[in-house]
């Protein structure tokens, strides 16, 4: 049986995979390539996650493709809008014709004798062997199988529903329910305002505070440029402005950390009701960008807290109970639903088994670069 030999194999059809395919077609139009996608649809993160309110936590003028203008009304965009953008980009550039769905790369061996990669790909109809000259890993940094959930003591005693955002049930009814969201990162900050719209009450339970920056979901500057300039020029200018702004703010946070910390916390304080305990719930022990800074579009989290629909509790979990969560302080948080927004499981290069001439590669200790 003849083994198919491609010039390039791209693994993953999310943002990075689609971008790699576009530039490969543009710069090397005669190269034969295929995109291996383990799932049955493109989009990566933006197709996988289905939790309420899922959105970007970067502006789409920065996150979007340099070659494809973002036309959405919001710069901080909803997940379904980003997925539509990726599908449209793929169709417009015939990238979708190169995607092989249900193809999961499991092993890759570099053969020095043949100067190529030997790939083992799993699919429903049977395993497949391929060869390629260049292998581009665009599979992301986390496992698609499951999210990270700590081993909470007595979690099996909880009588309600426990759900991780990565495996969100399609028909989960949380209307008029008491909800505890464990975590204070980008996912939790998205879930709390959205679920509060119909829930009885939502508690965001955090061990320690996170830095937040309120930012308009709509980029007024970008929309102004769109009114007077050709689309691509307006997009490039907005993109350049937003990337430069992010770089400047990051530089400022590292060069003047205490000043930047005061600016962030002052911004939070202004959006919360007088007397709110900002020191306890919104003042981290570290300086900005030692951990990730989270965006709060249009200050929706703070509005939700001010309305009384949501609250923040800063404490540690002792154990789960039949009806909620027992904290080390002795406080009990009653819940019908507990959402473990506790992060992802990092993976290296898609958990593919890499070998060099059939010898396993120990990446932390290897001198090889791929």
């Amino acid at each position: 049986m003849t083994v198919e030999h491609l010039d390039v194999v791209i693994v993953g059809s999310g943002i990075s995979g689609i971008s790699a395919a576009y530039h490969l077609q543009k710069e090397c139009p005669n190269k034969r390539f295929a995109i291996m996608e383990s799932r049955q649809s493109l989009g990566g993160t933006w197709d996988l996650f289905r939790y309420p309110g899922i959105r970007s936590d970067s502006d789409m003028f920065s996150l979007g493709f340099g070659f494809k203008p973002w036309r959405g009304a919001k710069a901080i965009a909803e997940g379904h809008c980003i997925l539509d953008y990726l599908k449209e980009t793929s169709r417009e550039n015939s990238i979708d014709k190169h995607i092989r769905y249900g193809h999961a790369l499991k092993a890759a061996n570099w053969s020095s004798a043949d100067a190529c990669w030997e790939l083992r790909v799993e699919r429903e109809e049977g395993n497949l062997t391929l060869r390629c000259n260049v292998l581009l890993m665009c599979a992301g940094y986390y496992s698609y199988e499951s999210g990270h959930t700590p081993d909470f003591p007595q979690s099996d005693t909880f009588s309600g529903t426990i759900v991780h955002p990565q495996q969100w049930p399609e028909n989960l009814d949380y209307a008029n329910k008491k909800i505890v969201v464990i975590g204070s990162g980008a996912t939790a900050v998205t879930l709390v305002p959205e679920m509060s719209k119909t829930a009885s009450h939502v508690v965001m339970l955090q061990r320690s505070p996170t830095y937040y920056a309120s930012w308009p979901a709509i980029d007024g500057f970008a929309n102004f440029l769109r009114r007077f300039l050709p689309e691509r020029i307006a997009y490039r200018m907005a993109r350049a402005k937003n990337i430069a702004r992010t770089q400047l703010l990051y530089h400022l946070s590292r060069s003047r950390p205490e000043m930047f910390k005061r600016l962030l916390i002052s911004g939070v304080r202004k959006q919360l009701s007088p007397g709110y305990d900002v020191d306890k719930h919104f003042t981290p022990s570290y300086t900005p960008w030692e951990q990730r800074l989270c965006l709060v579009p249009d200050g929706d989290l703070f509005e939700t807290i001010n309305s009384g629909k949501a609250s923040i509790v800063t404490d540690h979990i002792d154990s789960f109970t039949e009806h909620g969560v027992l904290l080390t302080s002795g406080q009990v948080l009653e819940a019908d639903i507990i959402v473990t927004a506790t992060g992802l499981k990092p993976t290296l290069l898609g958990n593919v088994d890499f070998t060099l001439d059939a010898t396993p590669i120990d990446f932390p200790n290897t001198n090889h670069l791929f």
Side-chain angles (χ1 to χ4, degrees):
M1 181 178 179
T2 303
V3 176
E4 183 179 13
H5 193 128
L6 298 164
D7 293 305
V8 181
V9 167
I10 299 170
V11 180
S13 62
I15 288 179
S16 58
I18 292 171
S19 182
Y22 172 85
H23 290 289
L24 179 62
Q25 287 186 150
K26 180 181 178 182
E27 302 298 332
C28 306
N30 296 321
K31 298 296 182 182
R32 297 179 62 248
F33 76 95
I35 301 173
M36 301 294 142
E37 173 54 60
S38 62
R39 305 176 72 243
Q40 296 299 326
S41 55
L42 63 80
T45 293
W46 305 108
D47 180 69
L48 175 67
F49 284 88
R50 304 296 177 91
Y51 61 80
I54 180 172
R55 56 168 173 78
S56 63
D57 51 6
S58 300
D59 74 273
M60 286 305 298
F61 294 96
S62 302
L63 183 63
F65 302 117
F67 57 85
K68 165 73 172 174
W70 170 255
R71 299 188 177 100
K74 292 183 178 180
I76 309 298
E78 291 89 350
H80 67 89
C81 296
I82 300 173
L83 183 59
D84 288 344
Y85 172 73
L86 297 180
K87 290 179 177 179
E88 183 176 86
T89 303
S90 181
R91 287 194 306 269
E92 287 178 352
N93 296 283
S94 298
I95 293 169
D96 54 342
K97 297 177 181 178
H98 295 269
I99 301 175
R100 302 184 185 183
Y101 295 107
H103 284 57
L105 177 62
K106 293 298 182 180
N109 175 65
W110 175 260
S111 170
S112 298
D114 297 323
C116 70
W117 287 101
E118 299 166 338
L119 311 178
R120 177 170 62 83
V121 178
E122 285 188 359
R123 53 180 185 168
E124 284 190 6
E125 56 269 39
N127 290 355
L128 176 69
T129 299
L130 295 172
R131 288 188 170 194
C132 66
N133 299 330
V134 176
L135 178 62
L136 297 179
M137 297 300 298
C138 301
Y141 65 91
Y142 65 89
S143 170
Y144 277 39
E145 300 301 320
S146 63
H148 171 67
T149 301
D151 185 15
F152 294 113
Q154 300 180 38
S155 60
D156 58 339
T157 66
F158 180 59
S159 61
T161 301
I162 301 174
V163 58
H164 190 285
Q166 190 169 329
Q167 288 88 34
W168 198 269
E170 184 176 353
N171 298 312
L172 180 64
D173 181 13
Y174 54 87
N176 301 313
K177 301 291 179 63
K178 290 176 288 188
I179 300 166
V180 172
V181 177
I182 303 173
S184 60
T187 301
V189 171
T190 300
L191 280 165
V192 171
E194 184 65 26
M195 299 185 77
S196 295
K197 293 176 181 178
T198 58
S200 172
H201 188 78
V202 180
V203 174
M204 188 172 86
L205 173 59
Q206 59 180 12
R207 289 183 301 179
S208 60
T210 298
Y211 285 109
Y212 300 112
S214 182
W215 211 265
I218 295 176
D219 190 325
F221 176 76
N223 290 343
F224 174 80
L225 292 178
R226 286 168 168 172
R227 292 170 55 192
F228 300 103
L229 297 175
E231 180 183 54
R232 289 190 175 274
I233 294 176
Y235 178 66
R236 288 172 186 165
M237 291 178 66
R239 181 177 171 87
K241 182 266 293 182
N242 287 5
I243 292 174
R245 178 191 63 194
T246 300
Q247 291 175 332
L248 176 63
L249 291 175
Y250 177 77
H251 175 73
L252 182 63
S253 74
R254 306 312 295 152
S255 61
R256 299 288 189 273
E258 290 303 319
M259 183 190 74
F260 197 70
K261 177 177 181 176
R262 288 194 299 271
L263 287 173
L264 289 174
I265 295 174
S266 174
V268 170
R269 197 182 301 276
K270 289 177 181 177
Q271 295 187 77
L272 290 168
S273 301
Y276 192 90
D277 196 346
V278 173
D279 291 340
K280 179 177 181 180
H281 301 303
F282 287 99
T283 305
S285 59
Y286 55 90
T287 57
W289 276 116
E290 287 182 3
Q291 294 184 32
R292 192 175 187 182
L293 173 68
C294 290
L295 285 182
V296 179
D298 297 325
D300 59 359
L301 174 66
F302 310 119
E303 289 182 6
T304 304
I305 293 171
N306 290 337
S307 72
K309 293 285 289 180
S311 56
I312 295 182
V313 172
T314 304
D315 206 333
H316 288 70
I317 294 174
D318 179 87
S319 65
F320 282 22
T321 69
E322 182 181 357
H323 301 296
V325 180
L326 172 64
L327 306 179
T328 55
S329 64
Q331 181 182 0
V332 176
L333 301 177
E334 293 187 356
D336 301 304
I337 299 172
I338 296 175
V339 181
T340 55
T342 45
L344 308 170
K345 291 181 179 177
T347 61
L348 178 64
L349 299 174
N351 271 345
V352 173
D353 292 329
F354 281 92
T355 53
L356 174 61
D357 296 327
T359 300
I361 299 174
D362 180 16
F363 281 105
N365 298 305
T366 185
N367 293 321
H368 300 284
L369 298 176
F370 296 87

